[in-house]
Amino acid sequence: MDRIAQLTTRPAGREIAYDPAAAPPSLQVRAAQVLEGNWTGRSTVPSRGLYPHQWSWDSAFIAIGLRHLSPLRAQTELETLLAAQWGDGRIPHIVFNPSVPLDAYFPSPDFWRSSAAGRAAGAPRTVQTSGIVQPPVHALAVWLVHLADPGLSRARGFLRRAYPRLAAWHRYLVARRDLGGRGLVSVVHPWEQGMDNSPCWDRPLSRVTPAPARSFRRADLDHGAPEDRPTDLDYGRYVRLAADYRDGGYADGQGEFAVEDPAFNALLIASEHALARIAGELGASGRERAARAERLTAALVERLWDPAAGMFLCRDVRAGEPIPERGVSGLIPLLLPDLPRDLAATLVRTVCGPHFGLGGTTRLVPSYDLLGEAFDAHRYWRGPAWFNTNWLLERGLRLHGERGRADALRKGILHTAGASGFAEYVDPYTAQACGTTGFGWTAALALDLLHDRPSGDRNGLTAIKGGDRG
């Protein structure tokens, strides 16, 4: 029996005359119920109403939690996403469900026109997708899912089938997206970085002429409070950037927006380490992958580290300058095993200092500088705390020996996830739920934190010195 069914189905029994009030379902059962409710048969939607399709990095995080309930379903989640990969290697940020009405989400398949506009880039013809990407956490997810049941993984050839697709994905990023010419990957749209509405994008977005408001209809406002969502002005700029990218045949390097982002590159590095381990499991050498991870780490430090800010900053490639905003993205490199020790210590101080307040004014790390002029405790990525970024930071704190802080953050994530109804994101001060509830990665990552792990390499992130160990 599927382990999700085991957790969510109450055994049948005889009726009894007196039955005291049953204890409320455990956090694990409630999280499993969210994932069961969001399952479509081949993948998991982030939420039934607001996000009714498959999202790229959502599915990776969901698979990380889902592996504790059903390793087979976690493998299927990732395989469904990888099956929509384009010929040039990109993994699209949305894979559209054809049974969902076009007006349920915008931008819809008829906006992206992937099979036509993306023909030169090798877009699939049998499935409709978007044309942009999201952070490359997929190889890490594949490796962790494999570890959940190596026997099943080997029997199904899970890693053997996933590896060439993941290798092509990384090849696309390092070959086609080094728009700054210094070894780091650039994003060409705020949606690609995943932290869509961050104040870090305000400066480069200011150069973009917004699409007319009458040219599109925002479906997100049907499911979320306007004060929690991006403004119409920002949305108009998102639409303009996406339409220009589409009309250019999804060719890279020509748009007005190009930003080197710390989190996107840190997740690529983490996934390079994971690919090294996958290669070792398949009997190949992972030395080249490990070496690339080291080179990317050095480029990240050289290009994006800001000693005065005590963290990494985004870099506007078109303007040729750093973006002076403190977003949570600049803390995510803490999850890297080869980060210089002094930088890791500085990042910990920044996480716990006045700009992010962990352990003091906040229980979870906010998405943006508490002292920043653009801070908004409720608006999408402009201040609220998100569960995936806090999960990454919990891993980073633990990896760098900050066990006490990691334990406290883990406790805060689990409490807030349950108390908020597995909210999409929360007010960092009050933990009030924002966005939608029953959110996929919130439930999945709570499950991951609840699961007992062996001591040692709990992250799957430790660098492979020499690259041959599986």
Side-chain angles (χ1 to χ4, degrees), residues 64-122:
I64 288 170
L66 196 55
R67 68 191 171 121
H68 301 300
L69 301 177
S70 172
L72 176 59
R73 189 174 285 192
Q75 291 179 29
T76 302
E77 180 84 37
L78 293 167
E79 289 166 343
T80 302
L81 178 66
L82 292 174
Q85 186 173 30
W86 289 28
D88 65 1
R90 80 182 76 193
I91 296 175
H93 100 295
I94 301 175
V95 181
F96 290 106
N97 183 342
S99 67
V100 173
L102 286 178
D103 62 359
Y105 182 80
F106 178 84
S108 54
D110 58 343
F111 172 88
W112 295 103
R113 303 198 291 273
S114 61
S115 57
R119 185 177 297 121

Side-chain angles (χ1 to χ4, degrees), residues 27-32 34-35 61-62 64-66 68-69 387-388 391 410-423 439-453:
L27 183 63
Q28 180 163 334
V29 168
R30 291 166 55 208
V34 169
L35 295 182
F61 286 121
I62 286 167
I64 288 170
L66 196 55
H68 301 300
L69 301 177
F387 292 89
N388 65 329
W391 179 86
R410 174 184 180 274
K411 183 177 180 181
I413 293 170
L414 291 172
H415 173 80
T416 307
S420 68
F422 303 100
F439 198 68
W441 75 30
T442 304
L445 296 177
L447 278 172
D448 188 61
L449 292 175
L450 282 168
H451 192 268
D452 291 333
R453 294 182 180 84

Side-chain angles (χ1 to χ4, degrees), residues 171-221:
R171 193 160 53 245
Y172 163 78
L173 291 173
V174 299
R176 300 284 294 278
R177 289 298 192 89
D178 182 9
L179 304 182
R182 300 290 292 274
L184 292 183
V185 172
S186 293
V187 295
V188 300
H189 195 291
W191 289 340
E192 291 199 313
Q193 195 269 354
M195 303 176 195
D196 307 11
N197 198 38
S198 170
C200 296
W201 318 136
D202 290 354
R203 182 175 293 189
L205 274 178
S206 68
R207 299 191 296 267
V208 178
T209 302
R214 65 182 180 276
S215 66
F216 61 92
R217 178 188 174 276
R218 294 179 58 179
D220 63 317
L221 297 181

Side-chain angles (χ1 to χ4, degrees), residues 199-376:
C200 296
W201 318 136
D202 290 354
R203 182 175 293 189
L205 274 178
S206 68
R207 299 191 296 267
V208 178
T209 302
R214 65 182 180 276
S215 66
F216 61 92
R217 178 188 174 276
R218 294 179 58 179
D220 63 317
L221 297 181
D222 295 339
H223 303 280
E227 60 270 19
D228 290 356
R229 310 297 300 170
T231 65
D232 287 342
L233 177 61
D234 285 333
Y235 220 91
R237 287 174 168 146
Y238 304 153
V239 171
R240 172 72 71 184
L241 277 176
D244 288 349
Y245 192 42
R246 175 200 65 202
D247 295 344
Y250 296 111
D252 293 311
Q254 300 175 14
E256 297 177 79
F257 187 98
V259 174
E260 294 170 347
D261 173 73
F264 195 101
N265 282 278
L267 290 171
L268 175 61
I269 295 166
S271 279
E272 281 289 338
H273 285 305
L275 272 183
R277 291 197 160 200
I278 293 170
E281 170 67 22
L282 295 175
S285 173
R287 288 192 181 94
E288 182 180 344
R289 296 288 171 193
R292 177 181 285 174
E294 291 176 3
R295 290 195 302 271
L296 284 167
T297 301
L300 181 70
V301 171
E302 178 187 357
R303 188 84 165 154
L304 303 185
W305 177 253
D306 188 290
M311 61 186 296
F312 293 86
L313 299 181
C314 296
R315 185 174 185 86
D316 185 343
V317 173
R318 294 291 178 248
E321 61 187 17
I323 299 171
E325 299 285 0
R326 292 178 171 90
V328 70
S329 170
L331 306 174
I332 300 302
L334 188 63
L335 63 83
L336 298 179
D338 288 338
L339 193 68
R341 184 174 300 178
D342 59 329
L343 269 62
T346 301
L347 281 176
V348 172
R349 289 195 295 271
T350 300
V351 169
C352 300
H355 293 285
F356 294 93
L358 182 64
T361 56
T362 66
R363 194 169 190 177
L364 300 185
V365 181
S367 53
Y368 177 66
D369 183 0
L370 297 170
L371 306 180
E373 291 184 8
F375 175 81
D376 186 326

